[in-house]
């Protein structure tokens, strides 16, 4: 049987031990920061190219509508969608385009944290700046198609609109999960830096 004084003494000794904070070595911070910046750069490049191709395609379709004398609701929706794509590309650059370089001007961990915060904030608000600008164009296209097709084809238009809405919700959820992961990493860095 153990003596209660021994147990309480061991507990006091355990509590008195100094906590060793988890400190990332400088090379690990540089590696993580560079990997994150590469991932963001690749993603942004893909998004910019996608927006550019979308805008070129939309211009072609609108010009075709004009040439065929079919300029109408769909054409207006396409124009709105193209404008939305431009807004998305601009917002992506504005929110995530500036890199926080590890150059000695600030501690490496602060540059990495800055990049994590920037990405977390951008991912968490993707519904507003990424999905939001595309909604007016998509809604106009679907409403125009719904009004134009014969009654038997309206169910297909509704199904396509629902599939688009589900895809948009999926993109929002996926980005929010990414934001939560970055928030957790930031929280762990903050917790250990405050010890």
């Amino acid at each position: 049987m153990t003596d209660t004084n021994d147990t309480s003494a061991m507990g006091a000794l355990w509590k008195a031990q100094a906590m060793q904070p988890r400190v990332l070595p400088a090379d690990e911070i540089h590696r993580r920061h560079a990997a994150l910046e590469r991932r963001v750069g690749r993603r942004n490049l893909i998004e910019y190219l996608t927006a550019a191709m979308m805008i070129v395609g939309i211009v072609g379709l609108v010009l075709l509508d004009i040439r065929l004398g079919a300029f109408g609701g769909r054409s207006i929706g396409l124009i709105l969608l193209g404008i939305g794509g431009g807004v998305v590309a601009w917002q992506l650059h504005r929110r995530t385009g500036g890199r926080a370089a590890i150059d000695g001007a600030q501690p490496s961990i602060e540059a990495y944290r800055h990049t994590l915060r920037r990405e977390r904030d951008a991912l968490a608000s993707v519904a507003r700046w990424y999905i939001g600008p595309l909604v007016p164009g998509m809604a106009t296209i679907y409403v125009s198609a719904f009004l134009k097709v014969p009654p038997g084809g309206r169910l297909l238009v509704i199904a396509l609109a629902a599939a688009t809405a589900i895809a948009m919700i999926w993109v929002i959820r996926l980005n929010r999960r990414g934001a939560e992961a970055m928030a957790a990493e930031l929280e762990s860095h903050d917790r250990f830096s405050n010890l």
Side-chain angles (χ1 to χ4, degrees):
M1 187 159 201
T2 59
D3 185 3
T4 55
N5 285 339
D6 268 350
T7 309
S8 62
M10 288 183 69
L13 181 63
W14 178 76
K15 288 180 183 176
Q17 288 180 347
M19 287 286 295
Q20 285 294 85
R22 180 178 156 241
V23 178
L24 289 175
D27 59 334
E28 177 66 12
I29 292 169
H30 285 278
R31 188 189 65 72
R32 286 184 181 194
H33 189 256
L36 179 59
E37 288 289 356
R38 277 193 308 274
R39 208 167 55 235
V40 168
R42 275 193 309 267
R43 180 208 58 209
N44 287 1
L45 179 62
I46 291 168
E47 293 286 348
Y48 297 146
L49 291 173
T50 302
M53 288 188 303
M54 181 181 82
I55 291 169
V56 167
I58 286 171
V59 168
L61 288 171
V62 170
L63 290 175
L64 182 63
D65 282 353
I66 291 170
R67 185 166 185 208
L68 296 174
F71 188 87
R74 181 185 84 123
S75 305
I76 293 169
L78 286 169
I79 292 168
L80 291 172
L81 190 60
I83 293 169
V87 169
V88 166
W90 172 70
Q91 285 287 336
L92 182 68
H93 176 72
R94 189 175 79 77
R95 291 172 186 271
T96 68
R99 294 179 176 219
I102 295 179
D103 59 3
Q106 62 179 333
S108 300
I109 191 69
E110 283 308 312
Y112 181 50
R113 281 179 170 158
H114 172 75
T115 302
L116 284 170
R117 278 191 293 272
R118 180 191 72 200
E119 282 300 307
R120 177 205 59 202
D121 294 346
L123 294 174
S125 61
V126 84
R128 185 175 58 248
W129 66 267
Y130 188 89
I131 299 296
L134 302 175
V135 169
M138 296 303 294
T140 304
I141 290 168
Y142 284 126
V143 168
S144 173
F146 183 82
L147 297 174
K148 209 172 214 183
V149 298
R154 289 182 176 167
L155 189 57
L156 176 60
V157 174
I158 292 169
L160 290 172
T164 301
I166 290 168
M168 289 177 167
I169 291 167
W170 178 76
V171 167
I172 292 167
R173 289 180 59 99
L174 192 65
N175 281 278
R176 284 196 178 146
R177 269 194 235 136
E180 289 167 4
M182 289 188 174
E185 185 170 353
L186 272 167
E187 188 178 308
S188 78
H189 288 295
D190 291 342
R191 184 175 41 243
F192 286 113
S193 68
N194 292 330
L195 289 179

mmCIF file of all heavy atoms in Angstrom, residues 145-158:
data_model
loop_
_atom_site.group_PDB
_atom_site.id
_atom_site.type_symbol
_atom_site.label_atom_id
_atom_site.label_comp_id
_atom_site.label_asym_id
_atom_site.label_seq_id
_atom_site.Cartn_x
_atom_site.Cartn_y
_atom_site.Cartn_z
ATOM 1 N N ALA A 145 -33.643 29.699 -68.751
ATOM 2 C CA ALA A 145 -33.872 28.370 -69.325
ATOM 3 C C ALA A 145 -35.214 27.811 -68.880
ATOM 4 O O ALA A 145 -35.947 27.224 -69.688
ATOM 5 C CB ALA A 145 -32.744 27.425 -68.906
ATOM 6 N N PHE A 146 -35.573 28.007 -67.616
ATOM 7 C CA PHE A 146 -36.845 27.509 -67.088
ATOM 8 C C PHE A 146 -38.015 28.132 -67.848
ATOM 9 O O PHE A 146 -38.992 27.456 -68.174
ATOM 10 C CB PHE A 146 -36.941 27.826 -65.590
ATOM 11 C CG PHE A 146 -38.187 27.300 -64.944
ATOM 12 C CD1 PHE A 146 -38.256 25.984 -64.538
ATOM 13 C CD2 PHE A 146 -39.295 28.121 -64.744
ATOM 14 C CE1 PHE A 146 -39.410 25.487 -63.929
ATOM 15 C CE2 PHE A 146 -40.439 27.632 -64.145
ATOM 16 C CZ PHE A 146 -40.504 26.314 -63.738
ATOM 17 N N LEU A 147 -37.924 29.436 -68.131
ATOM 18 C CA LEU A 147 -39.006 30.128 -68.833
ATOM 19 C C LEU A 147 -39.045 29.795 -70.321
ATOM 20 O O LEU A 147 -40.096 29.927 -70.954
ATOM 21 C CB LEU A 147 -38.869 31.642 -68.635
ATOM 22 C CG LEU A 147 -39.004 32.133 -67.195
ATOM 23 C CD1 LEU A 147 -38.698 33.624 -67.113
ATOM 24 C CD2 LEU A 147 -40.385 31.813 -66.636
ATOM 25 N N LYS A 148 -37.927 29.360 -70.864
ATOM 26 C CA LYS A 148 -37.832 29.122 -72.299
ATOM 27 C C LYS A 148 -38.191 27.695 -72.706
ATOM 28 O O LYS A 148 -38.708 27.484 -73.804
ATOM 29 C CB LYS A 148 -36.412 29.449 -72.761
ATOM 30 C CG LYS A 148 -36.332 29.914 -74.165
ATOM 31 C CD LYS A 148 -34.925 30.394 -74.460
ATOM 32 C CE LYS A 148 -35.013 31.537 -75.429
ATOM 33 N NZ LYS A 148 -33.716 32.020 -75.825
ATOM 34 N N VAL A 149 -37.902 26.713 -71.868
ATOM 35 C CA VAL A 149 -38.130 25.315 -72.252
ATOM 36 C C VAL A 149 -39.612 24.969 -72.149
ATOM 37 O O VAL A 149 -40.359 25.599 -71.391
ATOM 38 C CB VAL A 149 -37.315 24.330 -71.380
ATOM 39 C CG1 VAL A 149 -35.839 24.555 -71.530
ATOM 40 C CG2 VAL A 149 -37.735 24.350 -69.939
ATOM 41 N N PRO A 150 -40.028 23.963 -72.906
ATOM 42 C CA PRO A 150 -41.414 23.496 -72.767
ATOM 43 C C PRO A 150 -41.631 22.915 -71.364
ATOM 44 O O PRO A 150 -40.670 22.512 -70.707
ATOM 45 C CB PRO A 150 -41.556 22.399 -73.832
ATOM 46 C CG PRO A 150 -40.237 22.242 -74.483
ATOM 47 C CD PRO A 150 -39.294 23.245 -73.936
ATOM 48 N N PRO A 151 -42.864 22.888 -70.890
ATOM 49 C CA PRO A 151 -43.143 22.411 -69.513
ATOM 50 C C PRO A 151 -42.530 21.054 -69.193
ATOM 51 O O PRO A 151 -42.122 20.822 -68.059
ATOM 52 C CB PRO A 151 -44.672 22.355 -69.464
ATOM 53 C CG PRO A 151 -45.113 23.388 -70.446
ATOM 54 C CD PRO A 151 -44.092 23.368 -71.546
ATOM 55 N N GLY A 152 -42.407 20.178 -70.167
ATOM 56 C CA GLY A 152 -41.818 18.855 -69.907
ATOM 57 C C GLY A 152 -40.327 18.920 -69.596
ATOM 58 O O GLY A 152 -39.781 18.012 -68.970
ATOM 59 N N GLY A 153 -39.637 19.969 -69.999
ATOM 60 C CA GLY A 153 -38.207 20.087 -69.775
ATOM 61 C C GLY A 153 -37.843 20.864 -68.526
ATOM 62 O O GLY A 153 -36.659 20.976 -68.176
ATOM 63 N N ARG A 154 -38.841 21.400 -67.868
ATOM 64 C CA ARG A 154 -38.563 22.227 -66.687
ATOM 65 C C ARG A 154 -37.975 21.436 -65.527
ATOM 66 O O ARG A 154 -37.191 21.957 -64.747
ATOM 67 C CB ARG A 154 -39.831 22.963 -66.259
ATOM 68 C CG ARG A 154 -40.190 24.051 -67.244
ATOM 69 C CD ARG A 154 -41.388 24.829 -66.833
ATOM 70 N NE ARG A 154 -41.609 25.914 -67.787
ATOM 71 C CZ ARG A 154 -42.701 26.619 -67.850
ATOM 72 N NH1 ARG A 154 -43.703 26.366 -67.012
ATOM 73 N NH2 ARG A 154 -42.822 27.577 -68.738
ATOM 74 N N LEU A 155 -38.366 20.173 -65.419
ATOM 75 C CA LEU A 155 -37.832 19.342 -64.353
ATOM 76 C C LEU A 155 -36.317 19.169 -64.502
ATOM 77 O O LEU A 155 -35.576 19.199 -63.516
ATOM 78 C CB LEU A 155 -38.529 17.975 -64.337
ATOM 79 C CG LEU A 155 -38.220 17.071 -63.142
ATOM 80 C CD1 LEU A 155 -38.561 17.775 -61.832
ATOM 81 C CD2 LEU A 155 -38.986 15.777 -63.254
ATOM 82 N N LEU A 156 -35.855 19.066 -65.739
ATOM 83 C CA LEU A 156 -34.424 18.953 -65.993
ATOM 84 C C LEU A 156 -33.699 20.240 -65.571
ATOM 85 O O LEU A 156 -32.631 20.176 -64.958
ATOM 86 C CB LEU A 156 -34.154 18.657 -67.468
ATOM 87 C CG LEU A 156 -32.685 18.598 -67.878
ATOM 88 C CD1 LEU A 156 -31.949 17.504 -67.118
ATOM 89 C CD2 LEU A 156 -32.557 18.415 -69.378
ATOM 90 N N VAL A 157 -34.286 21.388 -65.884
ATOM 91 C CA VAL A 157 -33.681 22.665 -65.497
ATOM 92 C C VAL A 157 -33.607 22.767 -63.969
ATOM 93 O O VAL A 157 -32.577 23.185 -63.414
ATOM 94 C CB VAL A 157 -34.456 23.862 -66.099
ATOM 95 C CG1 VAL A 157 -33.923 25.175 -65.573
ATOM 96 C CG2 VAL A 157 -34.403 23.826 -67.617
ATOM 97 N N ILE A 158 -34.667 22.371 -63.297
ATOM 98 C CA ILE A 158 -34.685 22.394 -61.829
ATOM 99 C C ILE A 158 -33.605 21.458 -61.278
ATOM 100 O O ILE A 158 -32.882 21.811 -60.335
ATOM 101 C CB ILE A 158 -36.083 22.026 -61.291
ATOM 102 C CG1 ILE A 158 -37.088 23.128 -61.641
ATOM 103 C CG2 ILE A 158 -36.048 21.779 -59.788
ATOM 104 C CD1 ILE A 158 -38.533 22.757 -61.395
#
